[in-house]
CSV table of all heavy atoms in Angstrom, one decimal:
chain,number,residue,atom,x,y,z
Y,261,ALA,N,317.0,246.6,55.0
Y,261,ALA,CA,318.1,247.0,54.1
Y,261,ALA,C,318.2,246.1,52.8
Y,261,ALA,O,318.7,246.5,51.8
Y,261,ALA,CB,319.4,246.9,54.8
Y,262,THR,N,317.7,244.9,52.9
Y,262,THR,CA,317.7,244.0,51.8
Y,262,THR,C,316.4,243.9,51.0
Y,262,THR,O,316.3,243.1,50.1
Y,262,THR,CB,318.0,242.6,52.2
Y,262,THR,OG1,317.0,242.0,53.1
Y,262,THR,CG2,319.4,242.6,53.1
Y,263,ALA,N,315.5,244.8,51.2
Y,263,ALA,CA,314.2,244.7,50.6
Y,263,ALA,C,314.3,244.7,49.1
Y,263,ALA,O,313.6,243.9,48.5
Y,263,ALA,CB,313.3,246.0,51.0
Y,264,GLU,N,315.0,245.6,48.5
Y,264,GLU,CA,315.0,245.6,47.0
Y,264,GLU,C,315.7,244.4,46.4
Y,264,GLU,O,315.2,243.8,45.4
Y,264,GLU,CB,315.7,246.9,46.5
Y,264,GLU,CG,315.6,247.0,45.0
Y,264,GLU,CD,316.1,248.4,44.5
Y,264,GLU,OE1,316.5,249.2,45.3
Y,264,GLU,OE2,316.1,248.6,43.2
Y,265,ALA,N,316.8,244.0,47.0
Y,265,ALA,CA,317.5,242.8,46.5
Y,265,ALA,C,316.7,241.5,46.7
Y,265,ALA,O,316.6,240.7,45.8
Y,265,ALA,CB,318.8,242.6,47.3
Y,266,ASP,N,315.9,241.4,47.8
Y,266,ASP,CA,315.1,240.3,48.0
Y,266,ASP,C,313.9,240.2,47.1
Y,266,ASP,O,313.6,239.2,46.6
Y,266,ASP,CB,314.6,240.3,49.5
Y,266,ASP,CG,315.6,240.0,50.6
Y,266,ASP,OD1,316.8,239.5,50.2
Y,266,ASP,OD2,315.4,240.2,51.7
Y,267,LEU,N,313.3,241.4,46.8
Y,267,LEU,CA,312.3,241.5,45.9
Y,267,LEU,C,312.7,241.0,44.5
Y,267,LEU,O,311.9,240.4,43.8
Y,267,LEU,CB,311.7,242.9,45.9
Y,267,LEU,CG,310.6,243.2,44.8
Y,267,LEU,CD1,309.3,242.4,45.2
Y,267,LEU,CD2,310.3,244.7,44.8
Y,268,ALA,N,313.9,241.4,44.2
Y,268,ALA,CA,314.4,241.0,42.8
Y,268,ALA,C,314.5,239.5,42.6
Y,268,ALA,O,314.2,238.9,41.6
Y,268,ALA,CB,315.8,241.6,42.6
Y,269,VAL,N,314.9,238.8,43.7
Y,269,VAL,CA,314.9,237.3,43.7
Y,269,VAL,C,313.5,236.7,43.5
Y,269,VAL,O,313.2,235.9,42.7
Y,269,VAL,CB,315.6,236.7,44.9
Y,269,VAL,CG1,315.5,235.2,45.0
Y,269,VAL,CG2,317.0,237.2,45.0
Y,270,TYR,N,312.6,237.3,44.3
Y,270,TYR,CA,311.2,236.8,44.2
Y,270,TYR,C,310.7,237.0,42.8
Y,270,TYR,O,310.1,236.0,42.2
Y,270,TYR,CB,310.3,237.5,45.2
Y,270,TYR,CG,308.9,237.1,45.2
Y,270,TYR,CD1,308.4,236.0,45.9
Y,270,TYR,CD2,307.9,237.8,44.4
Y,270,TYR,CE1,307.0,235.6,45.9
Y,270,TYR,CE2,306.6,237.3,44.4
Y,270,TYR,CZ,306.1,236.3,45.1
Y,270,TYR,OH,304.8,235.9,45.1
Y,271,ARG,N,310.8,238.1,42.3
Y,271,ARG,CA,310.2,238.4,41.0
Y,271,ARG,C,310.9,237.7,39.8
Y,271,ARG,O,310.2,237.2,38.9
Y,271,ARG,CB,310.2,240.0,40.7
Y,271,ARG,CG,309.3,240.7,41.7
Y,271,ARG,CD,309.4,242.2,41.5
Y,271,ARG,NE,308.8,242.6,40.2
Y,271,ARG,CZ,307.5,243.2,40.1
Y,271,ARG,NH1,306.8,243.4,41.2
Y,271,ARG,NH2,307.1,243.5,39.0
Y,272,SER,N,312.2,237.5,39.9
Y,272,SER,CA,312.9,236.8,38.9
Y,272,SER,C,312.6,235.3,38.9
Y,272,SER,O,312.5,234.7,37.8
Y,272,SER,CB,314.4,237.1,38.9
Y,272,SER,OG,315.0,236.5,40.1
Side-chain angles (χ1 to χ4, degrees):
T262 65
E264 184 171 358
D266 291 344
L267 178 63
V269 174
Y270 180 87
R271 293 176 72 103
S272 64

